[in-house]
Amino acid sequence: MLRIIHLLPKRHILKTIGINTYHNLRTFLSEAYYCQEIWNQRLNNPLLQKINLEEFYYELEQKFTKTQQLNAIDIDVFANAVQGNQFGDELLDIVYKLRLTADTGNTPESTSHAVIRALLQFGKVEDLLNVLDDRLNYGIFLDYYTANLLMDTFWKSNQYAHGARIASQLMLQEELEHPLTNDFSLLHCYNYLKNPSGWPEYSPPSEPEEEVKIKVNYLRNPYDDEHFDLRSDKKMIGKTIFMISKSKQDPLNLSFQILGLALFGKDKEALDISKNVNVVLVKEILDLIPEDSKVKKAISELKLESDTNVGEILIKNVKHSVEKCSESDISKQCEMFEKWQQERVRLLEEQKQRLTTAKRLETIEDLKKALKDKEEKLWFFENEEKIDLDIEAKQKFYPRRWFGHRKRHRQIDTDYVPPEIMKKHSSGSIG
């Protein structure tokens, strides 16, 4: 029986059990692409095995409380040693505090990778997306490999809004050169635009009820950089789609360029492309242009292709990119894992040497001070005059402050007799 099922086509089996959406039941990437076993090999390092996460977090917390300083390599060790969900909040807390220190610029790449993997493994998807969006306070950034893992995971669970947010993060980082990442991004953005739901709403700061006047040196004019200031889902996805497709001139990508510019609010640029295009555009893509856009009317006058199945084409593009890039991505990532382990050992050794050197210098200073105190005691009488001069030289004398002439106390005449006060009668009174 098992042999018969194995020989039957997968689509036939899925239709038999009542499932027609075959591509939504599985991921595009194989288990080998996730490199989970190789990633878990980092835990075989004796350094990570000896760490007690609860005690280590307490030490880092105490160090930050006392000195407001943390070492990036310590945070990297903690992030890579986390295995259980019970330390998810502590991981975010300690990564946030690292951003408040001077050593945040030395954060290794493996820290971001470990945080993303941990939050995804613990099912903290919303926390992960919020952390990626709050780059200033957490400093966690995507690379092509982690972006592919996340978008593949979100495709399996039909979370197109999450996948589109990952694609927009890569747009903000201006890292859209990997073909598999680009195809994944277009697929998620297209599916999100077909059913736009799940994107977090941005609420601007509330205005005070009463008018509050604040004195400032000058007022800044409102400025929108049209990149990091973007908050609207349409504008972010529009710019993402345009940046991905702008380097290609086939009908599919030209249609995505016009759609992206229309969503981004660049109507003039979109109209210029539509006027100069020499191919038949895809109607299914251009139907996603908002009705209130000026581009909508101009597009309706063009000849459009209505028989194109955009969803299937995007899925085929992703599969083709997987076949093309999968092996090289796996190889590069395995090399990165090995490089990160070697780098972690090197940085820890350098930190150990710095701490040892600092401890030796502190010990030498303490020894010099003790010898000096002992010398003063042994040669006190011979150097008594010099010691007195040194003590006198250390004393600080402050000039006297003048508060003006002193006022004399008012003298009271004890012989003074006040006059007798008589009640004055009115002239109209009867005596």
Side-chain angles (χ1 to χ4, degrees):
M1 182 64 182
L2 295 175
R3 180 63 176 171
I4 295 174
I5 293 177
H6 180 72
L7 294 176
L8 287 174
K10 291 183 179 180
R11 288 187 182 273
H12 177 74
I13 297 173
L14 293 172
K15 290 181 179 179
T16 303
I17 62 178
I19 300 176
N20 295 322
T21 55
Y22 167 65
H23 61 271
N24 288 343
L25 193 65
R26 61 179 295 274
T27 58
F28 290 103
L29 303 178
S30 63
E31 292 184 4
Y33 194 94
Y34 282 72
C35 301
Q36 191 63 43
E37 294 183 2
I38 302 176
W39 169 248
N40 290 337
Q41 289 180 2
R42 77 193 189 285
L43 301 174
N44 296 331
N45 191 309
L47 173 66
L48 299 182
Q49 289 179 346
K50 294 178 181 179
I51 290 179
N52 185 319
L53 287 176
E54 187 173 354
E55 295 179 358
F56 190 34
Y57 173 75
Y58 178 77
E59 292 177 2
L60 294 175
E61 179 73 15
Q62 292 298 312
K63 180 179 180 181
F64 180 80
T65 303
K66 294 179 180 178
T67 65
Q68 298 296 309
Q69 294 294 329
L70 288 173
N71 293 325
I73 185 59
D74 291 338
I75 309 304
D76 182 70
V77 171
F78 183 86
N80 281 271
V82 169
Q83 301 181 51
N85 190 15
Q86 65 271 22
F87 291 101
D89 295 336
E90 287 79 0
L91 176 60
L92 294 181
D93 176 65
I94 207 66
V95 169
Y96 170 78
K97 289 176 178 176
L98 176 63
R99 292 291 290 178
L100 304 177
T101 65
D103 204 39
T104 183
N106 298 323
T107 304
E109 296 179 2
S110 57
T111 303
S112 293
H113 189 94
V115 172
I116 293 172
R117 285 246 193 191
L119 295 178
L120 183 62
Q121 179 184 356
F122 303 156
K124 296 179 176 292
V125 177
E126 288 297 333
D127 290 341
L128 172 58
L129 294 173
N130 293 333
V131 165
L132 291 173
D133 191 44
D134 195 358
R135 298 168 295 278
L136 180 63
N137 289 322
Y138 290 96
I140 302 300
F141 298 93
L142 291 166
D143 55 20
Y144 294 127
Y145 182 75
T146 51
N148 292 338
L149 295 185
L150 292 175
M151 287 191 284
D152 183 63
T153 303
F154 296 147
W155 173 258
K156 180 179 179 180
S157 56
N158 296 334
Q159 294 174 311
Y160 305 128
H162 293 345
R165 291 177 67 180
I166 296 298
S168 65
Q169 291 297 323
L170 294 172
M171 178 272 296
L172 294 176
Q173 295 177 200
E174 298 184 0
E175 294 181 349
L176 293 169
E177 299 177 356
H178 196 285
L180 177 56
T181 306
N182 291 350
D183 290 335
F184 258 136
S185 300
L186 277 180
L187 181 62
H188 275 283
C189 291
Y190 174 75
N191 281 275
Y192 172 76
L193 291 174
K194 289 175 64 178
N195 183 21
S197 61
W199 195 280
E201 295 184 1
Y202 171 72
S203 55
S206 59
E207 296 290 338
E209 297 180 358
E210 299 180 359
E211 183 178 359
V212 179
K213 295 183 178 180
I214 303 175
K215 184 179 180 180
V216 295
N217 294 329
Y218 56 90
L219 292 176
R220 292 183 179 274
N221 294 326
Y223 177 75
D224 184 3
D225 66 354
E226 295 185 342
H227 195 72
F228 294 109
D229 293 333
L230 294 176
R231 290 294 181 268
S232 170
D233 57 338
K234 291 183 179 180
K235 287 193 173 183
M236 293 189 71
I237 292 179
K239 188 170 184 179
T240 302
I241 291 175
F242 173 72
M243 290 183 65
I244 293 173
S245 58
K246 66 179 181 179
S247 60
K248 300 178 181 178
Q249 300 300 318
D250 57 276
L252 184 76
N253 284 281
L254 283 172
S255 301
F256 273 121
Q257 290 179 37
I258 297 175
L259 172 62
L261 289 171
L263 293 173
F264 189 35
K266 302 295 182 180
D267 295 339
K268 182 179 181 300
E269 291 81 351
L271 292 173
D272 291 341
I273 295 177
S274 62
K275 292 177 182 178
N276 299 324
V277 70
N278 297 322
V279 296
V280 180
L281 301 176
V282 181
K283 182 177 184 301
E284 187 177 346
I285 296 176
L286 299 179
D287 285 343
L288 298 175
I289 297 176
E291 295 294 336
D292 57 349
S293 175
K294 298 179 181 179
V295 185
K296 189 74 172 182
K297 182 179 179 181
I299 292 299
S300 61
E301 300 175 357
L302 299 177
K303 184 179 180 181
L304 304 178
E305 177 64 42
S306 58
D307 297 333
T308 306
N309 191 333
V310 178
E312 290 296 330
I313 293 177
L314 295 178
I315 290 174
K316 290 180 181 178
N317 290 342
V318 173
K319 291 181 179 179
H320 176 72
S321 296
V322 169
E323 295 176 357
K324 179 181 177 181
C325 306
S326 181
E327 292 185 3
S328 61
D329 287 355
I330 293 173
S331 176
K332 291 178 182 177
Q333 198 58 37
C334 292
E335 292 177 0
M336 289 300 299
F337 291 161
E338 182 65 26
K339 178 182 176 182
W340 288 343
Q341 290 192 26
Q342 297 176 359
E343 187 75 5
R344 189 178 302 116
V345 173
R346 183 184 66 83
L347 292 175
L348 285 172
E349 186 63 29
E350 290 180 358
Q351 177 175 299
K352 182 180 178 181
Q353 293 179 359
R354 288 197 301 269
L355 293 175
T356 302
T357 303
K359 187 65 177 178
R360 288 179 177 176
L361 291 175
E362 184 179 356
T363 303
I364 292 173
E365 291 297 327
D366 293 341
L367 183 59
K368 289 171 64 178
K369 184 178 179 181
L371 291 174
K372 185 177 181 180
D373 294 341
K374 187 176 181 180
E375 182 182 5
E376 288 181 356
K377 292 179 180 179
L378 293 175
W379 301 94
F380 175 77
F381 294 103
E382 286 79 355
N383 300 326
E384 185 176 0
E385 295 182 359
K386 182 181 178 182
I387 294 174
D388 292 337
L389 292 174
D390 292 340
I391 294 175
E392 185 177 354
K394 293 179 181 179
Q395 293 179 351
K396 294 183 179 180
F397 297 94
Y398 299 96
R400 291 185 177 182
R401 297 179 62 186
W402 185 71
F403 297 96
H405 297 287
R406 291 184 179 181
K407 294 183 179 181
R408 296 181 179 180
H409 293 287
R410 187 175 181 181
Q411 296 180 355
I412 301 175
D413 188 2
T414 56
D415 299 331
Y416 174 75
V417 178
E420 183 178 358
I421 300 175
M422 302 295 293
K423 185 175 181 181
K424 184 177 181 181
H425 297 282
S426 61
S427 60
S429 62
I430 299 176

